[in-house]
Amino acid sequence: MKNNETPTSLIIIFGATGDLAKRKLFPSLYKLYEKGRLTDRFAVIGVARRSISNDEFQESIQESVKSAAGKEEHVQEFASHFYYHSHDVTDSDSYSALKKLASELDDHYGLNGNRIFYLAMAPEFFGTIALHLKKDGLTEVDGFKRLVIEKPFGHDLDSAKELNNQIRTAFQEDEIYRIDHYLGKAMVQNIEVIRFANAIFEPLWNNRYISNIQVTSSEILGVEERGRYYEKSGALRDMVQNHMLQMVSLLAMEPPIKLNTKEIRSEKVRVLRALRPIEGEDVHNFFVRGQYGEGEINGEHLRGYRQEPMVEEDSNTETFVAGKLLIDNFRWAGVPIYIRTGKRMGTKSTKIVIQFKDIPMNLYYQTEKTLNPNLLVIHIQPEEGITLHLNAKKAGENMDATPVKLNFSNKESDGINTPEAYEKLLYDCMRGDATNFTHWDEVALSWSFTDKISAVWEKTKENFPNYPSGTTGPKKADELLEKDGFFWWPITDLEVTNC
Ligand code: NAD
């Protein structure tokens, strides 16, 4: 299991008994270990409040790895690198004991003073932890120190700034790895390659040839047990501020002069800077919010959002957002980018549809229909792949055209939040590659965009619930496109099928 290319490191996971650690982080570390991407010179300290022994912790590691990764080889050996430290992060006294354990492991495994601090905990603790890490000397190391931080990064621009200031007291911007797990998805990473490695797309990737872009991320799941968190968040903060705007910036960015972190991020930032702010009355014309009511999915009757645990009976929280974005630059002027995301929709899917403009003169007709526009569909999840929708001659003697699809299907993978994404991101962090993490400038620009929408929505109550569970969202989301002469491409018709 040796690979000298991955630096040695001590990974300190705060929140090590939590859901994220068990379902994503431990299995991802194990996969890296199994693939030889983690050298034998690594150690993990799990920090959480519960009082458990090292042995119990290592057993729980083995359990989570077996149930998630489904393999048993080397599991015990892998788990032996894990140590547990019971510690309330708000208690100043126990950081010195953590420091001592970290130094001992550093010596024992020969970790060269490299440390990764992974905050898999509620964001309210991030600032406190960062301040203590500095004050109690855990960040005084000979090697690298990196902070990995989960979403949500603040609640709005002001709280994000406050949090950023706190963590910046202990870490430089280039030491902070803000996770957006969408950026770890294979097909999200593929957006750049599809665009910049193919001569046939880039010349068409502008307002002369593209009529509109549609980005959909729909979930079948409701809010589940996360009502308390979700009531304060809603779909705009939970999905649009981060994942949706990240996908838009990758789709719209200019080719970077080099494929390195600095250049790619700076092109993404330029997209966010060119994003037209939607504020005041315009919010009602450019954005639609929704909340699911009761309904049926796969024969199961489901309750509405307001009936979910820890949700107010008259909640004004949106579980669905659709919006029209405009990027005011030379390439994109006039091309609407429609986004929509929601819970309890009929299908689980994340897809990007690039709709090309109609050809100047249509010589061919499909029976009773006009010619279909060309579409490039990027399937992010659950299927991964790309489909190009073209028109070709229909079999038979006449010259009618019929739609055909060219498919590339990557692989079947289950779930948006799959360990695969975390595996890639953890590996990137260990190697010091921050490209697929969000820079502070991106976070700040995204909050400043969504804050203007929240400001209007917080002042007015919507007539919720306004879409039944199992549907595609409120009717107004369809009208948003109809006003412009477009419609949402039905997600199910765009599935990867072999033709
Ligand atoms: P969780 O509630 O399951 O786990 C929280 C962990 O923090 C537990 O280990 C708990 O013991 C520990 N903890 C709480 N208070 C503590 C204290 N005062 N001192 C020490 N430890 C304390 O939460 P989770 O689902 O694992 O999520 C963690 C973070 O990751 C959150 O910010 C969440 O928004 C984010 N996140 C989670 C997921 C996921 O799939 N679970 C996905 C994306 C982002």
Side-chain angles (χ1 to χ4, degrees):
M1 308 249 152
K2 286 212 161 65
N3 179 344
N4 294 331
E5 282 175 31
T6 316
T8 59
S9 51
L10 172 66
I11 306 168
I12 305 185
I13 300 178
F14 290 87
T17 55
D19 176 70
L20 181 76
K22 274 191 199 150
R23 283 194 309 119
K24 306 281 151 58
L25 306 185
F26 302 148
S28 301
L29 283 170
Y30 176 67
K31 283 193 180 155
L32 290 173
Y33 182 73
E34 217 188 4
K35 290 175 186 165
R37 291 185 165 173
L38 206 57
T39 86
D40 276 336
R41 283 163 59 203
F42 82 97
V44 178
I45 303 180
V47 175
R49 244 182 331 198
R50 206 180 300 162
S51 170
I52 54 169
S53 66
N54 266 353
D55 286 348
E56 285 169 313
F57 184 53
Q58 291 183 1
E59 268 166 39
S60 78
I61 302 295
Q62 295 192 37
E63 265 320 298
S64 66
V65 167
K66 277 185 213 162
S67 52
K71 302 242 175 78
E72 299 204 15
E73 298 150 48
H74 316 292
V75 168
Q76 223 174 338
E77 187 190 321
F78 168 74
S80 71
H81 290 252
F82 285 69
Y83 298 80
Y84 186 75
H85 179 69
S86 167
H87 164 122
D88 185 325
V89 296
T90 57
D91 173 7
S92 309
D93 293 342
S94 63
Y95 283 89
S96 51
L98 179 61
K99 185 184 174 195
K100 189 164 166 282
L101 175 61
S103 304
E104 281 165 14
L105 294 177
D106 199 4
D107 291 343
H108 179 73
Y109 287 95
L111 303 177
N112 302 331
N114 293 330
R115 277 184 201 171
I116 295 174
F117 302 92
Y118 197 120
L119 308 192
M121 290 187 56
E124 70 222 53
F125 297 112
F126 294 171
T128 314
I129 299 173
L131 292 173
H132 270 296
L133 293 180
K134 170 142 178 101
K135 188 167 133 302
D136 295 300
L138 276 118
T139 51
E140 278 164 30
V141 286
D142 296 334
F144 62 69
K145 59 178 199 300
R146 294 178 187 145
L147 180 75
V148 186
I149 197 158
E150 275 291 338
K151 81 164 192 183
F153 196 89
H155 179 73
D156 53 18
L157 182 57
D158 286 344
S159 57
K161 273 186 187 162
E162 195 184 324
L163 171 58
N164 204 49
N165 289 340
Q166 287 173 329
I167 61 175
R168 283 297 305 273
T169 58
F171 297 89
Q172 300 294 318
E173 175 60 31
D174 63 1
E175 294 172 329
I176 302 169
Y177 290 68
R178 297 180 193 82
I179 292 246
D180 183 321
H181 64 261
Y182 270 55
L183 296 182
K185 301 290 296 171
M187 288 309 294
V188 172
Q189 296 186 352
N190 222 331
I191 294 173
E192 270 173 61
V193 186
I194 294 166
R195 287 191 54 195
F196 304 132
N198 291 296
I200 60 166
F201 291 129
E202 199 46 32
L204 307 180
W205 212 263
N206 55 51
N207 51 11
R208 260 177 297 157
Y209 297 102
I210 290 178
S211 77
N212 73 90
I213 296 179
Q214 304 177 10
V215 185
T216 299
S217 185
S218 62
E219 284 180 73
I220 289 180
L221 287 180
V223 74
E224 310 283 284
E225 304 307 315
R226 295 169 70 224
R228 194 195 306 273
Y229 157 75
Y230 205 80
E231 276 287 89
K232 288 195 241 127
S233 163
L236 186 70
R237 291 185 170 97
D238 192 47
M239 289 294 295
V240 176
Q241 185 272 338
N242 36 53
H243 314 312
M244 302 302 277
L245 290 182
Q246 281 294 323
M247 286 193 281
V248 169
S249 61
L250 286 168
L251 284 166
M253 72 191 229
E254 293 300 313
I257 54 169
K258 275 196 186 131
L259 273 186
N260 64 25
T261 307
K262 186 166 162 266
E263 298 302 340
I264 293 173
R265 280 172 158 184
S266 94
E267 293 305 340
K268 285 169 69 194
V269 165
R270 284 155 64 91
V271 172
L272 296 170
R273 281 171 48 206
L275 197 57
R276 187 182 303 175
I278 308 295
E279 50 198 322
E281 272 307 297
D282 271 349
V283 170
H284 303 298
N285 300 325
F286 282 75
F287 271 79
V288 172
R289 57 184 157 161
Q291 187 190 78
Y292 63 84
E294 56 184 300
E296 210 167 273
I297 301 181
N298 301 329
E300 189 189 349
H301 184 82
L302 298 158
R303 61 187 167 207
Y305 176 71
R306 288 179 176 182
Q307 286 75 53
E308 300 280 17
M310 288 173 289
V311 168
E312 294 289 327
E313 285 173 1
D314 59 348
S315 171
N316 197 39
T317 303
E318 78 286 350
T319 60
F320 174 98
V321 175
K324 171 177 164 178
L325 311 180
L326 292 169
I327 295 169
D328 291 326
N329 65 15
F330 221 78
R331 184 187 284 263
W332 293 114
V335 180
I337 301 183
Y338 302 104
I339 55 167
R340 72 177 157 169
T341 178
K343 292 194 174 290
R344 280 276 189 259
M345 293 172 71
T347 316
K348 174 184 171 64
S349 174
T350 302
K351 274 192 181 65
I352 297 164
V353 182
I354 291 112
Q355 179 175 342
F356 292 90
K357 286 188 174 169
D358 290 337
I359 45 172
M361 194 178 94
N362 184 4
L363 298 171
Y364 300 96
Y365 289 88
Q366 294 164 25
T367 323
E368 293 168 17
K369 271 202 288 175
T370 51
L371 213 54
N372 272 358
N374 294 132
L375 304 177
L376 174 68
V377 184
I378 305 177
H379 310 264
I380 310 284
Q381 71 93 31
E383 324 118 24
E384 295 180 352
I386 46 179
T387 310
L388 187 59
H389 292 235
L390 303 171
N391 293 296
K393 183 185 168 301
K394 201 172 180 179
E397 281 167 27
N398 58 18
M399 288 297 284
D400 283 355
T402 190
V404 294
K405 295 183 200 173
L406 301 186
N407 280 320
F408 156 66
S409 172
N410 206 3
K411 67 174 166 75
E412 287 289 314
S413 84
D414 186 30
I416 185 66
N417 218 353
T418 54
E420 286 80 6
Y422 276 93
E423 188 185 323
K424 286 198 200 94
L425 295 173
L426 276 165
Y427 187 49
D428 284 354
C429 175
M430 284 179 213
R431 290 178 304 131
D433 181 353
T435 313
N436 293 313
F437 296 81
T438 35
H439 187 275
W440 165 246
D441 292 347
E442 297 171 71
V443 175
L445 285 163
S446 304
W447 275 127
S448 116
F449 180 78
T450 53
D451 276 1
K452 296 183 183 68
I453 298 158
S454 314
V456 173
W457 283 355
E458 272 156 23
K459 273 193 247 145
T460 48
K461 275 216 158 225
E462 187 61 76
N463 195 10
F464 286 155
N466 60 355
Y467 71 97
S469 290
T471 62
T472 52
K475 212 172 157 299
K476 275 190 190 167
D478 296 334
E479 290 164 5
L480 187 71
L481 275 70
E482 283 161 16
K483 284 191 283 194
D484 297 339
F486 301 124
F487 57 87
W488 292 106
W489 288 95
I491 301 166
T492 42
D493 290 358
L494 299 170
E495 272 162 18
V496 188
T497 45
N498 290 319
C499 304

